[in-house]
């Protein structure tokens, strides 16, 4: 593993996705497995970074997960019916020595 970046709280969700999620999603679309691992103490912004704001009309506040889904499904639909895809996603949370599927 290597250290890549730290984002401040003023950083836009779109910028965070473009620098951290987008390259991974592009690799996934080429057939590789991908994982985004959000780690940190309680209250540091992991959920907001990953999910973002769920309110209607808050596209600028979408997190990594909705941006990745939009990117993946947009890429799939632009290819038409020339290729077939199998997409599997899992969201898990590890909290207090337990693992919970979200």
């Amino acid at each position: 593993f290597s250290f890549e970046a730290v984002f401040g709280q003023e950083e836009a969700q779109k910028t965070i996705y473009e620098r951290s999620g987008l390259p991974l999603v592009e690799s996934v679309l080429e057939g590789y497995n991908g994982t985004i691992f959000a780690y940190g103490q309680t209250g540091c912004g992991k959920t907001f970074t990953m999910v973002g704001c769920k309110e209607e009309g808050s596209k600028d506040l979408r997190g990594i997960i909705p941006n990745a889904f939009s990117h993946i499904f947009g890429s799939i639909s632009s290819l038409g019916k020339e290729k077939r895809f199998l997409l599997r996603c899992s969201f898990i949370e590890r909290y207090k020595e337990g693992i919970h599927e979200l």
Side-chain angles (χ1 to χ4, degrees), residues 28-101:
V28 167
L29 291 169
E30 292 174 6
Y32 295 96
N33 292 327
T35 299
I36 296 177
F37 185 78
Y39 178 80
Q41 71 185 70
T42 300
C44 70
K46 298 176 300 294
T47 301
F48 182 73
T49 299
M50 295 304 292
V51 179
C53 185
K54 296 179 183 178
E55 293 178 18
E56 192 69 33
S58 58
K59 186 176 179 179
D60 291 340
L61 297 176
R62 292 189 315 181
I64 290 174
I65 294 169
N67 278 309
F69 278 172
S70 178
H71 183 170
I72 291 167
F73 288 113
S75 295
I76 289 171
S77 67
S78 71
L79 295 173
K81 297 184 180 188
E82 301 162 13
K83 290 188 177 183
R84 292 181 58 187
F85 289 86
L86 173 62
L87 179 63
R88 293 184 182 158
C89 296
S90 297
F91 300 102
I92 58 171
E93 173 185 54
R94 183 174 187 271
Y95 182 69
K96 292 187 178 182
E97 306 303 320
I99 296 177
H100 311 280
E101 189 163 345

